[in-house]
Amino acid sequence: MRKLPPTGTIEIAPSILSADFNTLGDHIQNVAASINILHLDIMDGHFVPNISFGPVIIKKIRPHFDLFFDAHLMITDPRKYAPEFAKAGADGITFHIEAVDDPKEMIKILRDLGVSVGISLKPKTPVETLEPIIADVDMVLQMTVEPGFGGQKFMADSPQRCQAIRKMLRNDQRLQVDGGIHTKTAPIITQAGADTLVAGSAIFGQPDPAAEIAALIKNCLK
Ligand code: DX5
Ligand code: ZN
């Protein structure tokens, strides 16, 4: 099981949701040398109004890439399905705090599976809900759009939320953001404390995905 890269770096995590599934392997290969984390958006048509893909796809691509596979579970029952995602090759699993009654129990389930643990908040969920469990996770994922679809507009209050979460985190924990990240929003959100940026359409929607990743990082380091 791979570990999240140690903190102190800006990581770009491309979301394959925006890739062309007809040539998925080639798309990932095009960016593999530029990244450490690959973001896998799992949607069940219930927690969010869209359906994406499941463990079968992860299992198929797993042997071809030595990257940290970051499964973002936008599903109603992460408790039930987490073991299947770990078995398929996810190195880290992020669940939504809105989807579980007992986040502590969910964290324990993920620890027992040996995966890195992420917890995600939708844009309107109060950041204070993280207080009882934030010390126990490896990464917080603040959604910067309503989860469900790629290509949406970055929500304006996201930097404020990230600043608040960053204050609650230790410096060995990552703060990931997801949705509407491109060269203009990336520096704004890293200045607010995010260090792990998911981007779908800004990378896979473009003719030269590796150049887009380099541009994202460059803009954040300016
Ligand atoms: C949205 C997903 C995102 C999405 C991001 O629910 O969690 O990961 O793919 O797409 P862009 O970068 O296009 O906003
Ligand atoms: Zn995601």
Side-chain angles (χ1 to χ4, degrees):
M1 205 81 72
R2 294 156 195 78
K3 293 278 163 217
L4 274 167
T7 53
T9 59
I10 302 286
E11 299 292 330
I12 307 295
S15 164
I16 63 168
L17 196 62
S18 296
D20 180 350
F21 274 60
N22 186 41
T23 50
L24 181 59
D26 295 346
H27 273 237
I28 303 171
Q29 193 59 54
N30 285 342
V31 296
S34 311
I35 59 167
N36 297 306
I37 303 174
L38 189 71
H39 189 78
L40 307 162
D41 281 310
I42 313 302
M43 304 179 180
D44 65 353
H46 190 260
F47 183 74
V48 290
N50 194 10
I51 300 176
S52 59
F53 56 88
V56 173
I57 299 285
I58 299 179
K59 196 174 170 192
K60 293 278 185 199
I61 57 178
R62 177 71 280 177
H64 304 286
F65 302 100
D66 186 20
L67 296 167
F68 182 93
F69 276 16
D70 168 29
H72 174 196
L73 303 189
M74 288 164 274
I75 66 175
T76 299
D77 201 349
R79 235 170 140 258
K80 179 173 173 192
Y81 292 102
E84 282 188 48
F85 285 97
K87 206 168 136 207
D91 300 300
I93 294 182
T94 295
F95 67 97
H96 269 265
I97 195 164
E98 304 87 359
V100 296
D101 295 330
D102 186 348
K104 267 196 195 298
E105 182 203 30
M106 188 64 218
I107 292 167
K108 164 106 179 39
I109 290 170
L110 297 178
R111 291 285 174 217
D112 289 347
L113 290 169
V115 294
S116 297
V117 177
I119 190 159
S120 183
L121 269 72
K122 297 206 273 187
K124 301 258 163 28
T125 302
V127 295
E128 295 74 34
T129 56
L130 287 171
E131 273 163 12
I133 36 88
I134 195 161
D136 303 331
V137 302
D138 301 305
M139 183 163 78
V140 171
L141 165 53
Q142 173 60 55
M143 292 305 300
T144 42
V145 298
E146 282 298 335
F149 300 91
Q152 302 184 76
K153 190 165 178 277
F154 179 82
M155 292 177 74
D157 65 346
S158 305
Q160 252 173 289
R161 293 176 60 88
C162 283
Q163 276 165 3
I165 297 169
R166 180 43 82 188
K167 283 196 191 126
M168 300 160 74
L169 288 168
R170 295 185 310 270
N171 60 13
D172 64 337
Q173 294 172 299
R174 284 194 171 269
L175 176 53
Q176 186 178 51
V177 286
D178 186 357
I181 303 298
H182 50 71
T183 45
K184 291 223 164 57
T185 51
I188 297 169
I189 208 68
T190 48
Q191 270 156 32
D195 58 9
T196 311
L197 313 187
V198 176
S201 45
I203 296 176
F204 287 121
Q206 307 303 320
D208 187 349
E212 298 300 331
I213 294 169
L216 281 168
I217 293 180
K218 191 170 151 226
N219 276 30
C220 294
L221 298 179
K222 262 186 203 161

